[in-house]
Amino acid sequence: SSNQMINLADVVDKYGSGELNFTCKQNIILPNIQDKKLVLKHLEDIGFSLQVSRLQWSSQACASFFCGKTKSPHAKQIVKEIVEYLESNYTKKLLDEAKFAIYTSGCRNNCCSNLLSEIGLRGSLRKNEKGELEQNYDILLQSNCKEELGLGHVIEKVVPAEEIKKKLKALLKNYFKNRKLNEELNQFLKRHTIE
C-alpha cells in the first residue's frame, strides 16, 4: 500500500542510506542497513513479516486491474487468496520445503512470466452460462515434456477463479504424499508427464 511504501522509505532513511532497490521479481532490497534486528522489527510492524512462508515472498502477479483487460478477482487478488488458503492448509515448513512460486498474469499478455514458475496462472475472460464475462485462469505446471524443459505447460484450461485454490491444494496433497525424500515441487513435476 502507499502507507507501507512511505513507512518503508522512512525505515531506509533512518536505518540505511535512504535507498530502495526493486528486483525484476518484485522484491525489495534495502541496502546499507546498519541495525538488522531493529529494521526487521520495523518491517514486521508495517506488514512485511519474514515469519511467513517462502511462497508469500516468491509468488507474484501482474497489476491486471490497472490495464482493464480483466475482471475481479484480479491477478493480485487471486495470488493473495491462494497463498492465504495454502498457508491455512499446510504448515510453513511443508510449503518452504516444496520451494515453489506462483506467477499469475490476468490476461494473455503474460506480464508476469507465468511460464517460468513451478505453477503459472494465465487469465482470460469467458462468458458464463448467463452470458456474463467472468475471470478464468489456465493452470500451467512445469512438467516432463521433452521440448522446452523448464517451461510451464497448460494442464487445465479455463478454470473459474474461485476453483483454482482447491485444485492447487489437491496438487500439493498429491505432491506431499508421493514425493521422494527432499524432492522439491519442481523436481516432482518434472518427474511426471503433462498427463
Side-chain angles (χ1 to χ4, degrees):
S1 71
S2 56
N3 280 338
Q4 285 176 313
M5 289 307 299
I6 290 167
N7 289 328
L8 199 52
D10 290 343
V11 167
V12 296
D13 279 344
K14 188 171 183 179
Y15 301 103
S17 59
E19 183 180 345
L20 283 172
N21 295 314
F22 296 89
T23 72
C24 60
K25 292 197 173 199
Q26 301 179 1
N27 290 315
I28 303 169
I29 298 172
L30 312 177
N32 308 313
I33 297 298
Q34 301 303 316
D35 189 340
K36 183 179 173 183
K37 284 185 181 181
L38 192 55
V39 168
L40 288 174
K41 185 197 177 316
H42 281 288
L43 291 175
E44 183 86 31
D45 292 343
I46 63 174
F48 290 101
S49 175
L50 298 180
Q51 303 306 315
V52 296
S53 74
R54 176 186 185 280
L55 180 61
Q56 223 179 93
W57 291 109
S58 61
S59 296
Q60 56 181 289
C62 71
S64 61
F65 61 89
F66 182 73
C67 66
K69 294 179 183 171
T70 63
K71 291 183 65 94
S72 187
H74 298 288
K76 287 189 180 289
Q77 291 169 283
I78 287 293
V79 170
K80 186 176 189 292
E81 288 174 18
I82 290 169
V83 169
E84 288 172 354
Y85 182 77
L86 293 177
E87 285 181 333
S88 71
N89 283 278
Y90 296 104
T91 65
K92 176 186 182 303
K93 181 181 183 299
L94 276 178
L95 291 173
D96 287 352
E97 286 174 6
K99 292 186 181 171
F100 72 100
I102 302 168
Y103 290 4
T104 304
S105 295
C107 71
R108 301 285 184 209
N109 286 349
N110 198 23
C111 294
C112 194
S113 303
N114 48 43
L115 291 170
L116 301 179
S117 66
E118 293 79 15
I119 299 173
L121 302 174
R122 181 176 56 203
S124 64
L125 291 174
R126 295 279 198 270
K127 287 188 178 179
N128 61 20
E129 312 82 49
K130 299 175 186 173
E132 302 164 329
L133 285 176
E134 69 178 10
Q135 188 68 37
N136 292 278
Y137 290 88
D138 297 340
I139 300 174
L140 296 87
L141 300 177
Q142 289 186 1
S143 62
N144 187 11
C145 183
K146 295 303 177 208
E147 61 282 344
E148 300 181 57
L149 275 178
L151 294 179
H153 299 277
V154 176
I155 57 134
E156 193 164 354
K157 290 185 176 186
V158 194
V159 178
E162 63 274 2
E163 291 181 26
I164 291 174
K165 57 188 172 191
K166 292 176 186 164
K167 290 186 179 284
L168 295 184
K169 179 185 174 192
L171 168 71
L172 289 178
K173 182 179 178 182
N174 186 35
Y175 157 69
F176 288 127
K177 181 181 175 184
N178 297 301
R179 68 181 173 162
K180 293 179 179 178
L181 184 64
N182 298 322
E183 185 175 45
E184 298 170 10
L185 181 63
N186 183 12
Q187 297 162 327
F188 176 82
L189 293 173
K190 287 183 177 177
R191 217 169 23 95
H192 295 82
T193 64
I194 296 170
E195 291 75 25

